[in-house]
Amino acid sequence: MTIFGRRLFGKSLAPGEIIDVLMVGGTWHPNGDAITAAFAEALDPRRFVVRMVPYPADYGRHVAFADSVAIGRRALIEAAEATPNRILLAGYSQGAGIAGDLAADIGNGLFPHLEVVACALIADPLRPAGRCLGKDPGGYGVIGQRNIPRIPTYWVAAAGDPITALPAGNPLRLIADLSAYFSVSGPDAMVRWGQRIIEVATRRQLQRWWSPANWRTWGGAIAYARGYLFDGRHTEDYIRHGHARLLAEAINREVVVGAR
């Protein structure tokens, strides 16, 4: 078995074989957006068929982030089980977190009936440090770092994007730690969020962004927040700097045809 190239789990692509690219969109865009479209359009249409996987893609307006992720995971598993083809898992932002988590589970031996040829992640909130195509922007995912074993996985990360390239000591990590169950959908949802904050704090599940070793990066919170909110570091940069296309080109090149 080779990690990048012809074989995955002892198998290879047959000439003319179609791969289903199951794409999970980012927050507020369950049906995709310009970023996922740029990636999809750059894939080889002779070998890849892109299918958006619908899910809430919410972050507290109507559905808490954690619940949106759970629903998206179930939808992705159902989509993977529904196709007779082998699959490539892909996602952007919140969707990249979902697709990457499932790829990690499959790589660790769960869902052995699903045949995944590769995983392609844009702005993954759990991107490991140093793992990306092109120039490394530094940092790692705002939620933390997640390893994906045994499945060829490709990341792209834009410089200054706090979702996927946040310095270790940036205090924006606290928002990620405490907002997973945030929702303004009603009083019960707000109570649940408060309970979750207490649980995270008492179980010491917070990222140690406040470590004295990281004090030099604390002042970057405003710059990274501005990059996210106003400067397009998490959105337009993936198109104008070619990251989405770069990812598709890597998939076209690495997921290759070979004899069975």
Side-chain angles (χ1 to χ4, degrees):
M1 179 187 75
T2 60
I3 297 300
F4 297 100
R6 293 183 179 276
R7 296 191 177 276
L8 177 66
F9 301 145
K11 298 183 179 181
S12 56
L13 303 184
E17 180 178 356
I18 295 296
I19 298 298
D20 277 338
V21 179
L22 301 182
M23 171 69 74
V24 191
T27 304
W28 319 132
H29 297 283
N31 298 313
D33 59 11
I35 298 163
T36 53
F39 169 72
E41 290 167 3
L43 289 173
D44 184 350
R46 297 167 299 178
R47 292 188 287 143
F48 301 102
V49 174
V50 179
R51 307 179 190 279
M52 293 301 304
V53 177
Y55 78 114
D58 206 340
Y59 206 120
R61 291 180 181 174
H62 306 287
V63 178
F65 172 76
D67 294 329
S68 178
V69 168
I71 295 169
R73 175 184 172 85
R74 289 196 297 270
L76 184 56
I77 293 171
E78 291 173 0
E81 291 177 334
T83 177
N85 301 323
R86 284 191 276 182
I87 59 176
L88 186 151
L89 298 175
Y92 162 60
S93 192
Q94 183 178 159
I98 294 169
D101 282 352
L102 181 58
D105 285 344
I106 293 171
N108 281 314
L110 299 179
F111 309 104
H113 58 294
L114 299 180
E115 294 192 73
V116 177
V117 300
C119 183
L121 303 176
I122 303 170
D124 179 16
L126 283 156
R127 182 184 68 90
R131 299 297 303 276
C132 66
L133 299 171
K135 185 177 180 180
D136 183 4
Y140 55 89
V142 65
I143 298 177
Q145 305 182 70
R146 173 234 305 110
N147 182 46
I148 300 178
R150 301 186 66 229
I151 291 178
T153 301
Y154 308 82
W155 284 267
V156 286
D161 179 359
I163 302 303
T164 195
L166 193 65
N170 195 293
L172 291 181
R173 294 190 178 281
L174 185 63
I175 298 176
D177 291 342
L178 298 181
S179 64
Y181 286 88
F182 172 76
S183 174
V184 294
S185 59
D188 290 344
M190 295 299 290
V191 170
R192 181 191 184 204
W193 177 47
Q195 292 172 335
R196 178 57 179 169
I197 289 176
I198 295 172
E199 179 181 335
V200 168
T202 55
R203 292 186 179 182
R204 298 183 178 180
Q205 295 173 330
L206 297 172
Q207 299 178 72
R208 289 191 56 81
W209 63 266
W210 63 86
S211 170
N214 295 325
W215 71 268
R216 290 183 180 85
T217 66
W218 294 3
I222 294 176
Y224 274 88
R226 179 179 176 82
Y228 177 82
L229 295 171
F230 304 113
D231 297 339
R233 299 292 183 259
H234 184 61
T235 51
E236 289 92 342
D237 275 10
Y238 286 92
I239 299 174
R240 63 190 172 204
H241 295 310
H243 297 297
R245 173 172 287 277
L246 179 67
L247 181 61
E249 290 172 349
I251 295 298
N252 290 337
R253 181 177 61 251
E254 299 292 348
V255 182
V256 299
V257 173
R260 285 185 182 273

